[in-house]
Amino acid sequence: MTDDCRLSCAATLGNVRLLADAVRGWVEANGLGEAFAADFELAVVEAANNVVLHGTQGLQGQTMSVSICHVPGGVEVTLEDRGRAIPPDVLEAAIPPDLGVESGRGMGLIAACTDRVDYSATAEGNRLVLFKAVPPDVAEPAVGHKAAP
């Protein structure tokens, strides 16, 4: 398994693809499979788009970061920013998502693509942690380690 990965960039729609590609590349380099990579990529795209469109829109000089690491039983992707907090009603959005609507389905898609979603907002910023269990047909790393925040 490869080392943990962390990437920070300006909070722009153009950089959403950069973050998603980094996550996909890490997952593929670790042999976790196409379905695993596609799920995490979609979850990261939805989360990063929400950061740009809702959390940091209109705020100057905002950044977002993504880190990916092995944890016991799976992989965690953490997105961090210093924008507006996610409103509680958005966190409690209907799951599964209503695929017939054009917007408002991001949290449902994120939840559908991961096994656990944790969110916290503090004075230091927002932190969204996405966990996905390692598929049963993939060997777990001998020694799991976690990136420093």
Side-chain angles (χ1 to χ4, degrees), residues 52-142:
V52 173
L53 296 174
H54 305 294
T56 62
Q57 184 178 38
L59 303 175
Q60 297 298 315
Q62 295 295 304
T63 61
M64 58 185 172
S65 67
V66 66
S67 60
I68 184 167
C69 62
H70 303 283
V71 295
V75 175
E76 279 185 354
V77 171
T78 303
L79 285 95
E80 296 175 294
D81 69 88
R82 294 186 51 88
R84 294 173 200 86
I86 300 173
D89 61 318
V90 172
L91 288 172
E92 299 161 3
I95 298 172
D98 180 356
L99 299 178
V101 298
E102 188 168 322
S103 66
R105 59 185 180 204
M107 289 306 297
L109 287 171
I110 291 167
C113 291
T114 60
D115 295 310
R116 185 178 67 241
V117 177
D118 296 311
Y119 174 74
S120 62
T122 66
E124 288 79 40
N126 303 301
R127 182 180 179 99
L128 183 69
V129 180
L130 311 173
F131 170 84
K132 189 160 183 67
V134 172
D137 59 334
V138 175
E140 288 230 32

Side-chain angles (χ1 to χ4, degrees), residues 7-22 41 44-45 48-53 56 62 64:
L7 177 65
S8 295
C9 58
T12 66
L13 287 176
N15 284 337
V16 169
R17 173 59 27 212
L18 177 72
L19 298 180
D21 287 348
E41 180 181 24
V44 168
V45 166
N49 278 337
N50 285 341
V51 167
V52 173
L53 296 174
T56 62
Q62 295 295 304
M64 58 185 172

